[in-house]
Amino acid sequence: MKILVIEDDRRIGGFLERGLVAEGYQVTLEPDGRDGLDRLRNDAFDLVILDRMLPYIDGLEICRLIREERFPVLILMLTAKDSLQDKIDGLKGGADDYLTKPFAFDELLARIIAMRRRGPGQDERSLLRVGTLTLDSESRRVTRNGDPISLTVREFELLRYLMINADRVVSRERLLNGVWEYGFDPGTKIVDVYVRYLRQKIDSAEGPSLIQTVRGIGYMISATPAAAT
C-alpha cells in the first residue's frame, strides 16, 4: 500500500514515515500542500494522510481537489482542529476519516485498516489467490483445489487479511488491529489459536502449510514453502 503523507510539522511527519515504513507501507512525505498535490498528480497512491493546516494550500482545499479530480485514493485527515464542525467540514469535503492530534499510532493503524476494508480499490481485492487457495470477498466463498472450505466469520476475516498481504510478514499486532480491531494485546494468544484453526481447514495432510510462522514477529501466507516454520 502506497501512502502519501502531507504534513508540515517535521517531527510528526518523520514519526509517521518511520512508523508506517516499519509496518510495511511505502511512504512518501511532502511538507506542504502545494508539493503534496503535485506529487499526487504525478504518482499513484492508495491513501493520503492529510494535515488540515498546511502552507500554500489548505488541507481541506486539497481534499476537495482530490475528489473533484477523481483520484481513487482514501483520505485520512489528521489535524489539531477537533470541534464537531471541523470534523463535519472535513468529512463533507471528501475525507474518509478524521483523526485529531495528539493521536496514538496504534489507532492510526487501525483507522487505515478499517478504511481499506470499505474504500476505493476494494473490488480489485474481491478475488484473492495464493497457490490453489482462493477467497472471494463478495460471495465469501473459500476453496482449495476447487474444494469448498467452511470458515467462521473470524476465520474468514483472518484469512482474507493474510491473503491481502500475501508473501509479506504480518505482525500479531497488525492482525489484532485489522481482524479483531484491538488496539492492544489481550494476552490470550487469540491470533495463534485462530491460525491453528485455519491451518486445520485449509492445509492438506501431505503438503506444507500455506500459513508460515515467522518466529518473534507474526505470520505470512505464501505458496512458496519456507525453509522453516
Side-chain angles (χ1 to χ4, degrees):
M1 187 179 191
K2 293 181 65 176
I3 299 177
L4 174 63
V5 177
I6 308 178
E7 169 61 67
D8 64 323
D9 186 310
R10 291 186 178 181
R11 182 181 61 85
I12 294 175
F15 166 74
L16 287 170
E17 183 176 27
R18 290 189 299 273
L20 291 169
V21 167
E23 290 294 325
Y25 295 107
Q26 299 178 51
V27 181
T28 300
L29 178 62
E30 293 292 350
D32 61 65
R34 182 177 58 197
D35 289 346
L37 190 58
D38 285 345
R39 178 59 66 98
L40 183 63
R41 285 168 170 162
N42 289 283
D43 202 350
F45 294 94
D46 303 297
L47 168 68
V48 178
I49 298 178
L50 180 63
D51 188 22
R52 172 70 184 267
M53 301 177 69
L54 289 166
Y56 304 114
I57 306 176
D58 178 74
L60 188 58
E61 180 62 20
I62 291 175
C63 189
R64 289 174 178 148
L65 288 170
I66 288 173
R67 295 309 179 212
E68 284 178 7
E69 297 180 32
R70 299 184 179 277
F71 291 106
V73 296
L74 296 162
I75 302 173
L76 174 60
M77 192 163 281
L78 189 67
T79 177
K81 288 178 171 285
D82 60 357
S83 73
L84 177 60
Q85 189 58 51
D86 288 323
K87 293 178 182 179
I88 291 171
D89 289 344
L91 294 171
K92 281 187 174 180
D96 296 284
D97 205 349
Y98 197 107
L99 187 61
T100 56
K101 302 174 184 176
F103 59 90
F105 187 70
D106 283 345
E107 182 181 3
L108 176 76
L109 291 177
R111 298 286 187 100
I112 291 172
I113 292 164
M115 289 166 65
R116 289 179 68 181
R117 287 178 182 167
R118 63 180 186 264
Q122 195 68 27
D123 291 343
E124 298 174 6
R125 298 177 179 268
S126 63
L127 186 62
L128 303 169
R129 289 189 179 88
V130 174
T132 59
L133 180 70
T134 64
L135 180 149
D136 190 323
S137 297
E138 294 183 0
S139 67
R140 300 188 71 84
R141 177 179 168 84
V142 177
T143 64
R144 188 165 188 189
N145 294 312
D147 298 323
I149 298 171
S150 178
L151 300 178
T152 67
V153 171
R154 195 68 72 181
E155 288 167 353
F156 181 91
E157 294 301 330
L158 175 59
L159 181 61
R160 182 175 180 276
Y161 194 93
L162 288 168
M163 291 180 73
I164 286 174
N165 293 280
D167 297 311
R168 291 183 292 180
V169 180
V170 184
S171 69
R172 288 176 174 83
E173 290 75 16
R174 282 185 64 192
L175 290 170
L176 284 168
N177 278 328
V179 179
W180 284 268
E181 297 186 357
Y182 289 167
F184 61 96
D185 186 346
T188 59
K189 300 198 177 204
I190 191 170
V191 173
D192 304 316
V193 170
Y194 271 83
V195 166
R196 186 168 69 249
Y197 292 160
L198 274 180
R199 281 173 168 158
Q200 291 170 353
K201 292 185 175 184
I202 70 174
D203 290 329
S204 64
E206 297 80 18
S209 176
L210 288 177
I211 303 175
Q212 303 167 11
T213 301
V214 182
R215 289 186 176 89
I217 303 176
Y219 294 98
M220 174 177 70
I221 192 166
S222 177
T224 305
T229 59

